[in-house]
Amino acid sequence: MRLHRLTLTAFGPFGGTQSVDFDELSAAGLFLLHGPTGAGKTSVLDAVCYALYGSVPGARQSGGQGATLRSDHAAPTVRTEVTLDLSVAGRRLEITRQPPWERPKKRGTGTTLDKAQTWLREYDATAGTWKDLSRSHQEIGEEITQLLGMSREQFCQVVLLPQGDFARFLRADAEARGKLLGRLFDTRRFADVEKRLAERRRATEAQVRDGDAELLADAHRMQQAAGDGMELPDLAPGEPGLAEAVLSAAAVARGTAREQLTVAECGLAAAESAHAAAARVLDDARELARLQRRFTEARERAARLEEGAQAYREAQALMERARKAEAVAPALELRESADAEHRRTAAAEARARARLPESFADAGAAGLATAARRAAEELGGLDSARRAERRLAELLDERAGLDRQERADADLLHEAEAWLDGWEETRTALQARVDTAQQAASLAEQLAVQREPAQQRLKAARLRDQLAQDTDEAVDQVRTAREQALRAKQHWLDLKEQRLTGIAAELAAHLTDGEPCAVCGATEHPAPARKVAGHVDREAEDQALAAHQRADEQRAEAERRLGVVREALAAATAEAGDTPTDRLAAEVEELQARYAHARGAAAELHSAQERLRQAGQEHERRVAARQEAAVRTASRVGHRDRLDRERAVLEEELDRARGALDSVAARAAQLQRQAALLSDAADAARAAEDAAQRLKDADARLADAAFRAGFDTPQAAAAALLDAAAHRELQRRLDAWQSEEAAVRAVLAEADTAAAAGQPPADVDAAQRAADDAARRLRDAASAHDAAGRRCAELDRLSARATAAVRRLGPLREEYDRVARLAGLTAGTSADNERRMRLESYVLAARLEQVAAAATVRLRRMSSGRYTLVHSDDRTGRGRSGLGLHVVDAWTGRERDTATLSGGETFFASLALALGLADVVTDEAGGVRLDTLFIDEGFGSLDDQTLDEVLDVLDSLRERDRSVGIVSHVPDLRRRIHAQLEVVKGRSGSVLRQRGTG
C-alpha cells in the first residue's frame, strides 16, 4: 500500500481545505511531520485512517463521528470531507468520505441532518480516467479490508505505529500482551476451539452422567421388582464399573425369579383340581334345593287359584256385556260430538250478537249478511275523502314552512343590516392594524442591520479587554524569561571560564609516562597540573549550555507569544474603537430590546391581513344574503294565496265525508268495525242452525243402535262400555288367571320336581362354604403365580433395557474420554501439557517469537549490537505462560526484564518491536506490501548517537521500498530530515506547509 495524496476539508483543526502530496514527501524515504502541540499532527493520521475505515484510531472514536471530526473553525456552509488517493494490490483507488453533517436549512432557520456519504473510484490507466465503483458504506468497507488484509486495529498498529502503545506492550504482563496480539493476529478462532472443546466435554460428561443415572434408575426398579433378592452396587453415576455391576446383579435376580415361578406353577395346578371338585358338589346341592322350592311354590299357587275362582267368573260376565256395548259406541261418539258442536256454535252466536247494536238483536243470518254488505259499500266510498285529507295535511305543512322561512329571512335581514351598519368602522380598524404591523416589520429589518455590527463591536471590545490583560501578563512573562535567559547565559559563561581555567588539569588527568602529550607532544611529564576544588568538567559545561539554550528558547517563545497577543489586541482595538465595553453592551441591549419589540409587533402582520381579508369576505356574504332574502319574501306572497284557496275547497269536502266524527279515518274505522261485526254474527248464526240439525239426527241414530244391541236405553249401553284402560286391565286379569292355572298344573306334573320333593332338604350352605374355601386357595395360588410371572417379565424387560443402555453408552464414554483429554490439553490443565499453556497462548507465543526475532534485527543495529529481544515460555505467577518477553544485554551477558530499560532504550526497543510486529502482521495478512509507515513521537528521549542509529535503521526500510513518516516536534530532526510536512496552527484553524527534498 502506497499513499499518493490526502485532501482534508473542515476536518479536525483544519478549517479550510488542505492537501498532502505523499509522493513528493516519500521521494527521500524519510519525511518529518512536525508542528507545535495541538496543531493537528495526529489529525493527519486520523484522516488517513478515517478515509480507509470510516473511523479514527483508538480512544479518539468517542462521541458521534460527525461531531468529533468536524472542525470548529469551518464555515457553517462548508461540509467536512476527506479524500485519499492510494495504490494497493496493484490498483490505484480514490476514497472520499463525508461524515454526518448538521447544515443550515436552505429555507427558514435551524439546521437539518445530511447523512454520511462515501465514494470509491478507480483509475483506469488505459483510458486515463477515473471510474466510479461504489457509493455503499458496507461494500467499500469490505473492499478496502479485503485489499489491505487488515482490520482497523491492525492497520493502526502496523501502519500508524503508536510509540506509546508499544512501550506499554514491551513492559506489559502476559495477559495484556496476549490481548493485543489476539487483536492483531485474530486468534479468536483458537479461543473458539478451546471454548468449543470445553463445551463438548461438559455436554458429553452430562450425557454420560445422565445415561448412568438412567441405568441406576432401572437397577432400582429391578430391585423393587425382585424384592430382597438383588443387591445394588455402591457406585455413583460416571464411576467406572457401574455398568458391569448392574448387569451382574440383574442376572442373579432373574435366576431367582424363575425358580419362584416354577414353585408357583405346581401350587396353582393342585388348587385348580380341588376348586373344580368343590364346584361340582355345590352345583348338585343348589339344583336339589331349587327343585324342592319349585314344588312347594306350585302347591301354594294352586291354593291361591282356588280362592279366586268366583272373581274370575264375574270378570268373564263383565267382559261379555262390554263386547255387546261396543256395537253402540260409534253412535254414542257421534251424538257426543254433535252435542259439543251445538253448544260451541250457540255460545259463539251469543257472543257475536252481544257486540251488535240492539237494532240487530232479532235479525236472522240473512238479515245480518245484508247489513254487512251495505256497510262495506259505504266504506269503499271514503277513498276520495282520504286523499283529500292527506292533501290537506301536506298543504298545512307547506303553509307552516312558508311561515318559518318568513321568520328566518326576517331574522337574517335584521342581523345583516346590523352588521353592515358597522362595516366602515371595522374595516378602518383592521386596516390600521395592518399598517402598524408593516411599519414594525420595516423597523425590525433596519434594527437587524444595525444589531449585527453592534454585536461584533461588543465582541471585539470584550476580546480587546481580555487581550489587554493577556498583553500585561505576556509582558511580565517576557521580562521574567529574559531575566532567566540572562542568568542562564551568565551561569554558562562563568562555568565555561572556570573550565578554561582548569582545562590544564583536565588534560593532565589523561597523561601517562612515556605517552606523548596531546598539547606539546612531550613524553615526559615532570609537573602535571592538578584539579583544584570546584573544578568544572565538560559535562557540567554542557548542562549549563543546554540550560542556557532552553532558557533562550523559552524567551523567544515568550516574545513570540507577546507579539501574537499585541497583534490580536491591535486588531480588536481597531474593530472595537475606544468606546468602553459597558457602553457598547448597553447599546447592544437597547438595540436587542427594540428589535425584539419590533419583531413582536411585526409578527401580527399576517394575522391582521388575514382578519381584514376574512372581514371583506364576510361583508360580501352579508350583502348577498340580504338580497337573496328580499327575493324570497316577494315570491312567498303569491304562493301563500294559492295554498289558502285550495285549503278552503278541501275542508268543505271533508266536512261532508266525516259526518259527526273528527276525521275521515275515524269514520272509515267505524264502518270497517261495523261490517266486520255484522259478518261475524251472520256466520255464527248460520253455524248454530247447522249444529242443531246435526244433533237431532245423532239422537235418532243412537236410539236405533241401542235397541239392536239388546239394551233398553242408550244410557244402559253407555254404562256397559269400558274405556281402553279398563278393558286392558280386565283382559289382563283374565289372562293372568288362566296362565297361572296352566303353569301350576305343568309344575305339579314334572317327574324331577316330584322326585326331589320326596328327598331330605338340601344343605347348600355347607357346600357353599367348602367351595368358597377352595376358591380362596385357588386365588392365592393364581396371585402367587401371576406375581412370579410379572416379576420374571419385568426383570427380563429391565435387564434388556439396561443391556441396551450399556451398549449405547459405550461409544459415548469413549467420546467423552477423547474430548476430555483434548479439552484439558488445549485449556492447559492436562498433565500432557507440561507448560500448562492454552491453545490460544501457544499460537500467540509462536507469533511473539516471530515478532521478537524480526525486532531483534533492528534492535541490534539501534543499540550498536548491545540488546537482543528474546521470547520466553516461562509462567509468571498465576498468569498465562508462553508470552514472556525479555531483553539480553550483550555487555553483561545476562537476560533481564524489559522494565529495566531507560527511557531512550525503551523507545528504540519499542520502535524495533513495532517494526518487527509490522513485518509479521503484514506477512500474516497475506504479504500485502506496506510502502508507507508512520511513527508517532518518542525521538526526544534519544541522544545524538542513538538517534543517528535509529534513523539509519528507519532509512534502511527503503530497502523494502518503504517510505517512513516520523511524527515529532524534536528540533534536531528538522535539521536531519529535509522532506517535511509542517502543521501551523492559528486562530482560524491549522494549515499544512510541505517541503520536499530540495
Side-chain angles (χ1 to χ4, degrees):
M1 180 199 73
R2 178 178 295 278
L3 305 183
H4 298 294
R5 176 173 291 275
L6 175 68
T7 303
L8 316 173
T9 301
F11 184 88
F14 304 102
T17 299
Q18 303 293 322
S19 294
V20 180
D21 187 350
F22 286 109
D23 288 336
E24 181 182 357
L25 290 173
S26 303
L30 284 179
F31 63 90
L32 177 65
L33 175 59
H34 68 93
T37 302
K41 300 186 297 295
T42 306
S43 295
V44 176
L45 308 186
D46 289 347
V48 173
C49 184
Y50 178 71
L52 293 173
Y53 294 98
S55 60
V56 295
R60 296 190 292 276
Q61 299 179 72
S62 59
Q65 286 288 350
T68 304
L69 302 180
R70 181 167 177 79
S71 175
D72 295 333
H73 302 285
T77 56
V78 177
R79 180 160 189 173
T80 302
E81 182 178 278
V82 176
T83 300
L84 178 64
D85 180 4
L86 75 159
S87 294
V88 59
R91 300 169 62 183
R92 182 77 175 265
L93 301 176
E94 181 187 80
I95 310 170
T96 301
R97 291 188 186 271
Q98 295 177 348
W101 181 35
E102 285 280 351
R103 65 169 176 80
K105 292 183 177 179
K106 296 179 180 179
R107 297 178 181 176
T109 59
T111 61
T112 184
L113 179 64
D114 281 353
K115 296 181 180 179
Q117 301 288 331
T118 305
W119 294 271
L120 177 63
R121 299 196 305 169
E122 182 174 5
Y123 184 73
D124 187 351
T126 303
T129 58
W130 292 91
K131 62 178 181 179
D132 294 333
L133 295 182
S134 176
R135 298 192 64 173
S136 169
H137 299 291
Q138 183 176 0
E139 291 179 359
I140 295 173
E142 293 175 354
E143 179 75 12
I144 295 301
T145 303
Q146 183 177 1
L147 289 174
L148 293 178
M150 291 180 286
S151 65
R152 179 178 59 82
E153 290 78 7
Q154 291 175 315
F155 179 84
C156 295
Q157 294 288 349
V158 173
V159 178
L160 310 180
L161 301 180
Q163 178 267 332
D165 286 353
F166 278 89
R168 286 191 295 272
F169 177 75
L170 184 67
R171 298 180 176 181
D173 57 11
E175 201 66 32
R177 192 172 290 142
K179 290 181 181 178
L180 176 60
L181 291 174
R183 289 198 306 270
L184 292 179
F185 292 104
D186 191 15
T187 58
R188 289 174 296 180
R189 59 189 184 277
F190 300 104
D192 291 341
V193 169
E194 296 177 24
K195 181 179 178 182
R196 176 59 178 164
L197 285 173
E199 291 175 351
R200 286 192 59 189
R201 179 188 62 191
R202 289 192 293 271
T204 53
E205 183 181 5
Q207 291 175 349
V208 170
R209 283 200 305 269
D210 292 343
D212 284 349
E214 292 179 2
L215 186 62
L216 276 178
D218 287 341
H220 284 291
R221 295 187 186 97
M222 285 188 282
Q223 186 183 41
Q224 292 175 357
D228 297 332
M230 178 178 179
E231 294 184 0
L232 292 181
D234 188 15
L235 295 174
E239 293 186 13
L242 176 64
E244 293 77 4
V246 169
L247 294 180
S248 299
V252 173
R254 288 198 308 275
T256 303
R258 288 191 177 90
E259 294 175 358
Q260 294 174 351
L261 178 61
T262 302
V263 173
E265 286 175 349
C266 295
L268 178 61
E272 287 176 346
S273 299
H275 178 265
R280 287 193 297 272
V281 172
L282 178 61
D283 291 341
D284 294 343
R286 286 175 176 172
E287 180 62 18
L288 179 60
R290 185 184 67 79
L291 292 174
Q292 290 175 346
R293 286 195 304 273
R294 182 177 177 81
F295 182 79
T296 302
E297 291 173 355
R299 294 293 298 271
E300 292 174 353
R301 289 161 60 192
R304 288 195 295 272
L305 286 173
E306 185 64 28
E307 293 174 356
Q310 181 62 33
Y312 171 70
R313 289 189 290 271
E314 292 175 354
Q316 281 184 325
L318 184 61
M319 178 63 76
E320 183 62 25
R321 186 173 177 81
R323 288 195 185 97
K324 293 180 180 179
E326 287 178 355
V328 188
L332 283 171
E333 293 177 357
L334 181 61
R335 200 274 174 188
E336 289 176 358
S337 176
D339 184 57
E341 179 66 18
H342 178 261
R343 287 194 300 271
R344 185 185 62 76
T345 56
E349 180 184 9
R351 289 194 298 272
R353 287 183 180 276
R355 291 194 294 270
L356 293 176
E358 293 183 2
S359 57
F360 297 101
D362 299 330
L368 292 173
T370 302
R373 285 194 299 274
R374 286 199 300 270
E377 291 173 357
E378 186 177 355
L379 178 63
L382 291 178
D383 290 342
S384 176
R386 287 194 184 94
R387 288 193 295 273
E389 190 174 40
R390 287 195 296 271
R391 173 56 186 158
L392 180 59
E394 294 173 356
L395 186 145
L396 292 175
D397 290 342
E398 190 174 356
R399 184 68 167 74
L402 290 176
D403 294 340
R404 287 193 299 272
Q405 290 179 4
E406 185 174 10
R407 289 192 298 272
D409 286 343
D411 294 341
L412 189 147
L413 285 171
H414 181 269
E415 183 182 355
E417 291 294 344
W419 192 89
L420 291 172
D421 288 343
W423 161 244
E424 289 300 329
E425 291 80 359
T426 301
R427 186 184 62 78
T428 302
L430 291 175
Q431 185 62 47
R433 292 184 62 185
V434 171
D435 296 340
T436 301
Q438 289 177 340
Q439 293 174 1
S442 300
L443 179 60
E445 293 178 358
Q446 297 173 3
L447 293 175
V449 174
Q450 300 174 8
R451 186 182 58 164
E452 185 173 356
Q455 290 176 341
Q456 292 294 335
R457 288 190 63 195
L458 175 60
K459 182 178 180 181
R462 289 171 176 166
L463 179 61
R464 176 197 62 195
D465 297 344
Q466 180 62 41
L467 290 173
Q469 297 178 5
D470 294 346
T471 301
D472 295 339
E473 294 175 358
V475 169
D476 294 338
Q477 293 174 358
V478 168
R479 182 170 55 255
T480 301
R482 286 174 177 172
E483 293 173 355
Q484 292 176 349
L486 289 175
R487 285 195 298 271
K489 183 177 182 180
Q490 186 62 42
H491 179 63
W492 168 61
L493 294 175
D494 292 343
L495 291 180
K496 185 176 183 179
E497 183 178 358
Q498 294 177 20
R499 182 169 180 269
L500 292 175
T501 302
I503 192 68
E506 184 176 339
L507 293 174
H510 300 284
L511 293 177
T512 304
D513 291 339
E515 296 292 333
C517 175
V519 177
C520 63
T523 57
E524 295 181 358
H525 317 291
R530 303 295 179 184
K531 291 184 179 180
V532 298
H535 175 72
V536 177
D537 56 10
R538 181 179 181 84
E539 182 178 1
E541 180 186 357
D542 291 343
Q543 292 177 353
L545 175 59
H548 160 57
Q549 291 174 345
R550 288 195 298 271
D552 192 59
E553 289 178 357
Q554 292 174 357
R555 174 196 58 77
E557 179 64 21
E559 290 177 349
R560 187 191 65 79
R561 287 198 298 269
L562 176 60
V564 171
V565 172
R566 282 175 173 172
E567 290 177 2
L569 176 61
T573 304
E575 183 176 357
D578 297 331
T579 306
T581 304
D582 53 355
R583 184 185 302 173
L584 291 176
E587 292 176 359
V588 169
E589 184 177 359
E590 181 182 0
L591 277 174
Q592 185 67 28
R594 291 177 60 195
Y595 174 73
H597 181 268
R599 282 290 302 273
E604 296 292 329
L605 176 60
H606 178 72
S607 60
Q609 290 175 338
E610 182 64 21
R611 283 194 288 272
L612 178 60
R613 184 186 63 78
Q614 292 175 355
Q617 293 177 350
E618 182 66 15
H619 175 263
E620 295 175 357
R621 188 184 66 80
R622 297 276 185 170
V623 171
R626 181 175 62 181
Q627 294 174 353
E628 293 173 358
V631 172
R632 288 195 300 269
T633 300
S635 64
R636 275 195 300 271
V637 175
H639 191 190
R640 188 184 294 110
D641 292 342
R642 290 192 299 273
L643 293 178
D644 290 342
R645 290 195 296 272
E646 186 179 0
R647 175 184 177 186
V649 174
L650 292 174
E651 287 179 346
E652 182 179 357
E653 180 183 354
L654 290 174
D655 289 340
R656 291 193 300 271
R658 285 194 296 262
L661 298 178
D662 295 336
S663 65
V664 176
R667 176 60 179 162
Q670 182 186 41
L671 290 174
Q672 189 174 9
R673 285 195 302 273
Q674 183 177 350
L677 291 174
L678 288 171
S679 298
D680 292 343
D683 294 340
R686 284 192 295 271
E689 291 174 357
D690 295 341
Q693 182 61 40
R694 286 194 297 272
L695 178 61
K696 184 177 179 181
D697 295 342
D699 285 338
R701 285 194 293 272
L702 176 60
D704 184 60
F707 177 76
R708 285 197 299 272
F711 292 98
D712 296 337
T713 62
Q715 290 76 15
L721 278 174
L722 295 175
D723 58 15
H727 185 278
R728 286 194 300 274
E729 177 61 23
L730 183 60
Q731 185 64 46
R732 185 192 64 76
R733 288 166 53 195
L734 292 173
D735 294 341
W737 196 92
Q738 294 173 355
S739 298
E740 180 68 10
E741 183 184 21
V744 168
R745 284 198 300 269
V747 170
L748 293 177
E750 293 176 352
D752 293 342
T753 303
Q759 296 182 11
D763 190 357
V764 179
D765 293 338
Q768 182 65 51
R769 287 193 296 273
D772 291 344
D773 185 59
R776 178 180 57 76
R777 290 194 298 271
L778 177 61
R779 285 195 301 272
D780 293 342
S783 297
H785 179 269
D786 293 342
R790 286 194 301 271
R791 186 180 302 111
C792 287
E794 182 68 9
L795 289 174
D796 289 342
R797 183 183 66 84
L798 292 174
S799 297
R801 193 165 77 174
T803 303
V806 170
R807 191 179 300 112
R808 186 174 61 254
L809 284 174
L812 189 61
R813 291 181 188 277
E814 294 177 1
E815 181 183 1
Y816 167 68
D817 294 339
R818 183 174 61 257
V819 171
R821 287 195 303 271
L822 285 176
L825 183 63
T826 57
T829 59
S830 172
D832 297 334
N833 191 335
E834 296 179 358
R835 296 187 179 275
R836 303 295 181 183
M837 187 183 298
R838 290 169 43 202
L839 175 61
E840 183 184 13
S841 299
Y842 176 77
V843 175
L844 292 178
R847 294 291 186 268
L848 183 60
E849 188 173 3
Q850 295 174 347
V851 171
T856 297
V857 175
R858 296 185 176 89
L859 179 59
R860 290 178 62 85
R861 291 185 59 187
M862 293 181 186
S863 63
S864 300
R866 178 178 180 181
Y867 293 118
T868 301
L869 280 175
V870 294
H871 160 255
S872 172
D873 285 333
D874 294 337
R875 188 182 185 91
T876 57
R878 298 181 61 186
R880 69 171 79 185
S881 63
L883 297 179
L885 197 62
H886 299 286
V887 62
V888 177
D889 190 344
W891 290 6
T892 63
R894 295 181 179 272
E895 181 178 309
R896 57 192 175 102
D897 194 276
T898 54
T900 61
L901 297 174
S902 66
E905 292 171 340
T906 299
F907 166 68
F908 62 67
S910 301
L911 179 58
L913 184 63
L915 294 174
L917 184 60
D919 291 341
V920 175
V921 172
T922 300
D923 296 338
E924 176 72 13
V928 177
R929 290 181 56 84
L930 300 178
D931 299 324
T932 306
L933 299 178
F934 294 91
I935 301 174
D936 191 359
E937 285 298 344
F939 294 89
S941 60
L942 305 179
D943 56 44
D944 292 345
Q945 180 180 355
T946 305
L947 179 60
D948 288 338
E949 293 173 347
V950 169
L951 291 179
D952 288 342
V953 171
L954 295 178
D955 190 56
S956 68
L957 293 177
R958 287 187 295 175
E959 298 173 1
R960 299 183 66 174
D961 197 18
R962 286 179 176 174
S963 61
V964 180
I966 297 176
V967 183
S968 178
H969 56 267
V970 175
D972 195 37
L973 289 176
R974 302 176 197 173
R975 176 179 56 82
R976 296 170 180 261
I977 301 175
H978 300 289
Q980 299 178 9
L981 178 63
E982 182 182 5
V983 184
V984 182
K985 66 178 180 180
R987 294 178 58 85
S988 59
S990 298
V991 296
L992 296 174
R993 295 176 182 173
Q994 184 169 331
R995 182 160 64 91
T997 57

